[in-house]
Amino acid sequence: MNIIKKLPINQLGYGFIPEPPKGKNEYYLRDKQNRSGIQYRSLSALEIEILVRNGNTSDDWTKILVSSKFNPELVKNCAFFGLIRIGELENHCLCFSDLIVPVGIYNSTIISCDFGNNVAIHNVNYLSHYILGNEVIITNVNEIVATNHSKFGNGILKKGESSDVRIWMELCNENTGRKVLPFNGMTAGDAYLWTRNRHDDLLQKKFIELTDKRYDNKLGYYGKIGDRTVIKNCKIIKDVWIGPDAYLKGANKIKNVTINSDPQAKTQIGEGCELVNGIIGYGCRVFYGIKAVRFVLSDYSQLKYGARLINSYLGTNATISCCEVLNSLIFPAHEQHHNNSFLCAALVMGQSNIAAGATLGSNHNSRGADGEVIMGRGFWPGLCVSIKHNSIFASFALLNKGDYAYELNIPLPFSLISNDPKNDELLIMPGYWFLYNFYALARNAWKYIDRDKRIDKTPIFEYNYLAPDSVNELINSLDILANAVAKAAIAKDKKLQQNSDKAIIELGKKLLHTRTKKEIDSLEIFVEGFENSKRKTRLVKVYDAYHMFEKMILMYGMDALVNELSSKKHKSIIAAVNGLKSGAKDMQWTNVGGQLMQTKTVQNLLNQIKNDQISSWDEVHDFYQTASSKYTQQKTAHALAALELITGKKLESFKTTTLVDLLDKYLAIKTNITESILFTRSKDYKNPYRKMVYENEEEMNKVIGKIDNNSFILEQQAILQDITTTITDLKKQLKKLSHIKWKTRVLH
């Protein structure tokens, strides 16, 4: 039976705070929240007469306070209860897009609310305990109400509440073992650090304390609607905090949510949306039948076209439409567009693209729904891919169409992963992106930078495919590939047998540098531990991949070296190189929500949280900013360390001949990449099966654009020209230096 209580009518709009602190009334928090600066006064007798004549009622006309420019003629057919404060009402219309409405309050029930200047409130059936800013438009809304225990999506408790009502966000695992408390301003880095380190009870306790300290537990905070926000044709808005310049139209239900918005980053929520227990960042777009429960949308993210997002965090500049995402933590620049894709219990580390038919959530074929999958930066499953939890993928893994029936652990980055049903093998092509699709790889990095809508681009999100995380994986892959080649060679020739793992790796590297491509490709190369099955895992194109990995590491290091030399004026280039410091001691890095940090820096942060040196989430975010300010310098140091590793020489030992040789190799690699970008894209213009849908080449160029006008390719060619000029200048300086040294030797 529904419990219906009967209360005296004179209690409606009062008692929002049951027991205010001593010396304060029930409006003390409301007064603190209302920062409009409007000076209110009581109604005059004439104003009351006009209001009554216009069909308005109030339980107590003395409880209606207004500003000096209040116009009672602009309030009609309203019922007021409790303390009402109304700002200026002037005889104007407010226009937004195609909506034009007169200023004033019409045909509405208002309970204990504050209004800013020149609001337009039309046909609101129930508006209770809200503070509205200036020039707010609300029209045709069933219910806008705030309760005295409103938390606005934050995972906190109010005075007197039991812990079982606290809202948790169950990320990365369906069994709640990695749950976190959402809060306004939560970053993907916060969520990442919290979901990891579950064994550290003190750290986990501190994370809860940081969240609880961010807000007080007082009862009685009102809902707020910021200046110039427009709300039309919505049904239920309950316990929602809305920033300025937001636009809500046709939403079914929004409950216990913070909607961040401002003039530079306006947030919009559209038709048919149902949003419960969440945080929406600045500049977000949420449209057309969205269902989101226990969620965080980071800034400039989008939910569209019937997507379902449950117990999940969606990072900055990410888009999900049409599909279902559960229990997932997703870093920035994620794309998932198709109705029949499913993502569950995943840590997705950014720059990912989930294709149609992808089923990345086969949890229930285990004894419990407790599996997880970790997808490195740039993860890209093809059409109709299904994988089994638990699985881990290195950066820029590409899965070919197929059902992967066993758990996978793929440490080789930039790889194409395939099933070979004929031979019942798992097939891996390391370095596929470098070998066959440099255009897409390079363009994606460019695209994510171009689409980063943040006004303040800090902290720095790493979008380049070569960065400390992926380069470390490349470095580790050299040993994996060498080990596999050596074992394949030993299986073919027992005389090559070695006594230790280190010796086997060294043998593999020697073979890869002394044997021909044909000889290496003739070997049957297998690896172990990549798949939890009895079938074999075969590597293909190992020779090409190994040497391409070496080139990429060299290019990464030389990018940093050339940038250092070209950005500074030196009397002696060699002296400048010899004086550079590498980051050989700091080679371990962690992707913290899209921001790369040295692993020792992350551990330092966690230690400071545990010992109370950092005691608020704002201080954690300041730590991120400080780390970000050092990132470019630290990345350079890491790149120089990688250069030392791949050349086998310390920077302080570089000679003129060494540097000239490296500059030549670097330019050759850059030239080859630019040519590969053009070549891989040009294949789309030459493939007859692509061309056959067009009447002629002219029509094709009209539809997809001429390749000669491709802005990305033109930009890459211009960059190559600049690099060529820079290297020519550096070599001239080196040649001049060598000539001076030669003259000095002759004179002596």
Side-chain angles (χ1 to χ4, degrees), residues 154 183-187 190 194 206-207 209-215 282 459 595 597 605 608-609 613-627:
N154 297 293
F183 60 87
N184 189 24
M186 185 181 215
T187 70
D190 301 336
W194 199 336
K206 292 295 182 182
F207 283 140
E209 290 177 1
L210 294 186
T211 306
D212 284 338
K213 284 168 60 177
R214 193 171 176 87
Y215 306 94
Y282 291 93
Q595 177 183 358
M597 294 188 204
L605 168 61
Q608 289 189 50
I609 292 171
Q613 288 179 270
I614 288 179
S615 57
S616 72
W617 282 115
D618 287 339
E619 291 177 7
V620 172
H621 299 162
D622 289 342
F623 188 100
Y624 296 160
Q625 293 288 358
T626 300

Side-chain angles (χ1 to χ4, degrees), residues 163-176:
S163 59
D164 60 349
V165 304
R166 195 193 282 269
I167 299 299
W168 292 86
M169 200 163 48
E170 298 161 6
L171 303 178
C172 300
N173 196 303
E174 286 187 272
N175 75 350
T176 76

